[in-house]
Amino acid sequence: MIQYSNPHEYQILQQYAASLGNTEIQRVVAANQAMTAADVRLLAQLYWYIVDTGVGEDLEFWLERLYTSLQIHCSNQGFADVWDAEIPE
């Protein structure tokens, strides 16, 4: 399970996953864990989508927390390299 420092992090993920309309991303968010490399890629894509589309929504504080929570979870699952590979250049 992803350990969030605040429940609002999960709410942000749910909100943006719903706005994407991608059922696979919604499944991973609802499961609250990444069990495969594909799951990690989906979480990373969602995170970077939030970064790109959340401009002007004053999310900087939450983005830092979300990044930490997601990156730690993915690393603990053995997928740190997969998470890192999704960081945009």
Side-chain angles (χ1 to χ4, degrees):
M1 304 268 311
I2 301 170
Q3 300 297 315
Y4 301 104
S5 59
N6 186 293
H8 189 61
E9 293 173 65
Y10 183 65
Q11 293 168 349
I12 292 169
L13 286 179
Q14 287 179 310
Q15 172 190 344
Y16 280 88
S19 74
L20 272 175
N22 181 315
T23 57
E24 284 300 301
I25 289 176
Q26 290 173 332
R27 176 193 56 79
V28 173
V29 170
N32 199 32
Q33 61 185 342
M35 297 302 293
T36 67
D39 291 348
V40 172
R41 282 187 205 95
L42 290 170
L43 278 177
Q45 291 167 8
L46 175 59
Y47 175 80
W48 293 108
Y49 170 78
I50 296 168
V51 169
D52 290 342
T53 60
V55 174
E57 293 187 33
D58 198 27
L59 291 175
E60 291 82 15
F61 174 79
W62 294 110
L63 287 171
E64 288 180 31
R65 287 183 154 207
L66 265 173
Y67 185 90
T68 300
S69 297
L70 295 174
Q71 193 276 332
I72 288 172
H73 174 74
C74 294
S75 293
N76 288 345
Q77 296 298 315
F79 296 113
D81 57 335
V82 177
W83 175 264
D84 291 343
E86 293 298 318
I87 298 172
E89 295 186 20

